[in-house]
């Protein structure tokens, strides 16, 4: 008799239990997010974190489907977000300097970067408070939602380069103007070579090395062809990263609570990407050492001369911004960025064990949480 009563009650118990379980709304909206990079990339990892976080923050109202390379490659992301091919995307502004000249000024201040966590915070705060930077994105139907930063650049080379004398005459691949000018300052030859050609150029002896973050030892397989890594110079970070710009129409179609959730998730993405870039640097360096790659610190003289070069080069960056892109008040804008960087170096001191949530909380408190949802991007 007791068994029969239990069996009779079981459907009601199960029904009640299911009704208490959290579940996604029946009308959950799926956002298409393009990465333009393979699933093994740090960029793809960041979008995975964003997808997980936005689903949690909206209780399933918004879900993300990630497209690594099937819809757009990284060079197509600018137009893809603009035209609504994707709802949001991982975008690299340096690919489009003419369309984003105000943004390019900050990107060209790369060699100020020694603390990636501070650089990510400073760039993000600068962009959100730079009306010209936001306007040039709006012209392309992009809503900016934060930046990240790689680790500082090093010398990855086939020959030991730790002093000024050892640097002279070396052919080194450089990705951008500041590093090219640094190489030339010390008698090296800056080479402009595409990222997918670096491995072949080094392996065939066409160049002596490259100025990159150590992550490229594995990402570009450079650990198989270089013999030496020199830390401490040239320094500088790659922070021309828009983590996930959102299409304007999509942004404006969201509710206030969904836009707030997007900003909360964006703070987590900035933290997650930057932490991953740093951890990938360390992992790649350790793996290279196991293969016999020797790791050195630059000489004290080279470090001191590099610091002096960076100071002097700030004026060159501002002059180039005014001449090449017609930027007004470039020197004052560069000074403002440097002040923000100083602030963020205090807020987020460099350390190897930053907790993702702790870092994201600082980014949200200082930047994302202060965005006016009633006006931003509307």
């Amino acid at each position: 008799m007791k068994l029969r009563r239990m069996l009779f009650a079981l459907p009601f118990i199960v029904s009640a239990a299911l009704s208490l379980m959290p579940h996604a709304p029946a009308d959950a909206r799926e956002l298409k997010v393009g990465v333009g990079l393979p699933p093994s990339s740090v960029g793809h990892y960041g979008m995975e974190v964003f997808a997980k976080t936005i689903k949690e923050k909206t209780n399933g109202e918004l879900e993300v489907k990630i497209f690594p390379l099937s819809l757009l490659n990284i060079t197509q992301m600018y137009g893809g977000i603009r035209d609504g091919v994707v709802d949001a995307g991982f975008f690299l502004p340096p690919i489009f300097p003419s369309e984003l000249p105000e943004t390019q000024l900050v990107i060209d201040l790369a060699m100020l970067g020694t603390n990636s966590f501070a650089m990510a915070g400073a760039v993000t705060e600068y962009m959100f408070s730079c009306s010209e930077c936001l306007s040039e994105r709006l012209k392309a139907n992009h809503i900016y939602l934060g930046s990240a930063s790689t680790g500082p650049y090093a010398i990855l080379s086939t020959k030991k380069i730790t002093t000024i004398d050892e640097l002279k005459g070396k052919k080194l691949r450089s990705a951008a103007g500041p590093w090219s000018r640094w190489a030339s300052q010390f008698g090296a030859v800056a080479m402009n070579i595409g990222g997918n050609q670096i491995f072949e150029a080094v392996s065939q002896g066409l160049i002596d090395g490259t100025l990159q973050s150590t992550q490229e030892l594995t990402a570009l397989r450079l650990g198989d062809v270089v013999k030496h890594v020199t830390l401490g110079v040239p320094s500088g970070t790659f922070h021309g990263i828009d983590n996930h710009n959102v299409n304007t129409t999509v942004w404006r179609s969201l509710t206030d609570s969904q836009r707030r959730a997007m900003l909360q998730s964006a703070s987590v993405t900035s933290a997650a990407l930057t932490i991953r870039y740093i951890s990938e640097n360390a992992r790649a360096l350790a793996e290279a050492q196991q293969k016999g790659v020797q790791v050195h610190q630059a000489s004290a003289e080279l470090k001191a001369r590099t610091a002096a070069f960076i100071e002097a080069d700030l004026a060159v960056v501002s002059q180039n911004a005014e001449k090449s892109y017609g930027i007004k008040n470039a020197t004052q804008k560069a000074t403002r960025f440097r002040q923000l960087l100083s602030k963020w170096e205090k807020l987020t001191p460099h350390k190897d064990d930053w907790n993702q949530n702790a870092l994201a909380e600082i980014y949200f408190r200082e930047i994302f949480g202060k965005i006016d949802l009633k006006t931003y991007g509307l």
Side-chain angles (χ1 to χ4, degrees):
M1 192 69 176
K2 286 183 180 179
L3 178 60
R4 197 159 50 190
R5 282 200 298 269
M6 287 175 63
L7 291 173
F8 178 77
L10 185 59
F12 299 99
I13 295 170
V14 172
S15 177
L18 289 173
S19 70
L20 294 174
M21 291 177 64
H23 59 283
D27 57 346
R29 180 178 179 180
E30 184 178 83
L31 300 178
K32 293 184 295 183
V33 174
V35 183
L37 297 169
S40 59
S41 67
V42 176
H44 191 279
Y45 165 78
M47 295 313 97
E48 289 177 330
V49 172
F50 174 67
K52 180 174 181 245
T53 309
I54 194 65
K55 185 174 182 178
E56 291 173 353
K57 297 293 183 184
T58 62
N59 193 30
E61 287 181 11
L62 297 178
E63 296 186 352
V64 166
K65 183 173 183 179
I66 301 172
F67 293 87
L69 284 164
S70 54
L71 282 181
L72 303 165
N73 62 39
I74 197 67
T75 61
Q76 296 169 324
M77 199 61 64
Y78 180 79
I81 298 170
R82 179 194 63 207
D83 300 334
V85 177
V86 290
D87 299 314
F90 182 80
F91 172 60
L92 302 180
I95 299 174
F96 297 92
S98 298
E99 288 83 356
L100 302 163
E102 293 282 350
T103 299
Q104 189 63 36
L105 169 62
V106 173
I107 294 168
D108 284 343
L109 295 170
M111 292 195 72
L112 289 174
T114 56
N115 176 340
S116 305
F117 311 107
M119 188 60 90
V123 173
T124 300
E125 183 170 355
Y126 183 94
M127 292 301 164
F128 273 122
S129 58
C130 170
S131 59
E132 299 98 331
C133 302
L134 298 177
S135 293
E136 60 191 18
R137 286 172 173 80
L138 277 173
K139 287 178 183 176
N141 283 337
H142 285 221
I143 301 295
Y144 173 76
L145 286 186
S147 296
S149 174
T150 69
Y153 276 28
I155 304 174
L156 317 182
S157 57
T158 55
K159 299 165 187 169
K160 180 171 169 283
I161 304 175
T162 60
T163 68
I164 295 173
D165 284 341
E166 290 171 343
L167 188 52
K168 287 178 181 176
K170 299 298 188 297
K171 295 179 181 178
L172 299 174
R173 186 263 183 181
S174 170
W179 291 289
S180 294
R181 291 192 294 274
W182 175 85
S184 299
Q185 174 71 20
F186 296 106
V189 180
M191 306 292 289
N192 184 12
I193 297 174
N196 60 348
Q197 299 173 314
I198 299 173
F199 179 90
E200 183 178 357
V202 174
S203 64
Q204 293 183 0
L206 300 177
I207 59 176
D208 298 302
T210 180
L211 308 176
Q212 308 261 173
S213 65
T214 56
Q215 177 197 348
E216 307 305 342
L217 290 165
T218 54
L220 296 178
R221 297 188 299 117
L222 294 176
D224 294 335
V225 290
V226 303
K227 302 300 180 186
H228 301 270
V229 172
T230 302
L231 305 176
V233 296
S235 193
T237 55
F238 181 81
H239 50 263
I241 303 168
D242 284 13
N243 300 339
H244 34 51
N245 286 359
V246 179
N247 173 273
T248 304
T249 303
V250 172
W251 178 258
R252 293 173 180 172
S253 71
L254 301 174
T255 65
D256 282 356
S257 63
Q258 288 171 341
R259 283 193 289 270
R260 178 175 175 77
M262 291 284 272
L263 290 169
Q264 290 173 323
S265 302
S267 69
V268 176
T269 307
S270 287
L273 276 169
T274 303
I275 289 172
R276 178 56 68 97
Y277 279 124
I278 295 298
S279 65
E280 285 295 292
N281 272 9
R283 182 180 67 83
L285 191 61
E287 289 183 6
Q289 285 180 286
Q290 290 176 355
K291 293 179 178 180
V293 174
Q294 297 179 41
V295 178
H296 317 277
Q297 280 289 334
S299 69
E301 181 189 12
L302 182 53
K303 286 183 179 180
R305 293 275 297 274
T306 294
F309 164 82
I310 292 171
E311 286 295 324
D313 195 59
L314 293 176
V316 177
V317 171
S318 296
Q319 289 167 9
N320 287 347
E322 292 177 351
K323 276 187 181 180
S324 301
Y325 300 114
I327 301 299
K328 296 178 181 179
N329 304 315
T331 299
Q332 293 90 323
K333 290 172 180 177
T335 298
R336 183 172 85 87
F337 177 75
R338 194 168 191 183
Q339 291 168 344
L340 285 174
L341 182 57
S342 178
K343 164 192 167 181
W344 278 96
E345 284 170 342
K346 295 181 180 68
L347 284 170
T348 55
H350 180 78
K351 58 182 183 178
D352 295 329
D353 59 348
W354 265 110
N355 173 271
Q356 177 179 294
N357 291 334
L359 187 59
E361 282 178 14
I362 297 173
Y363 289 154
F364 187 79
R365 183 190 72 219
E366 296 291 327
I367 310 172
F368 295 93
K370 295 179 179 179
I371 304 302
D372 185 357
L373 291 169
K374 298 295 184 184
T375 59
Y376 185 67
L378 301 177

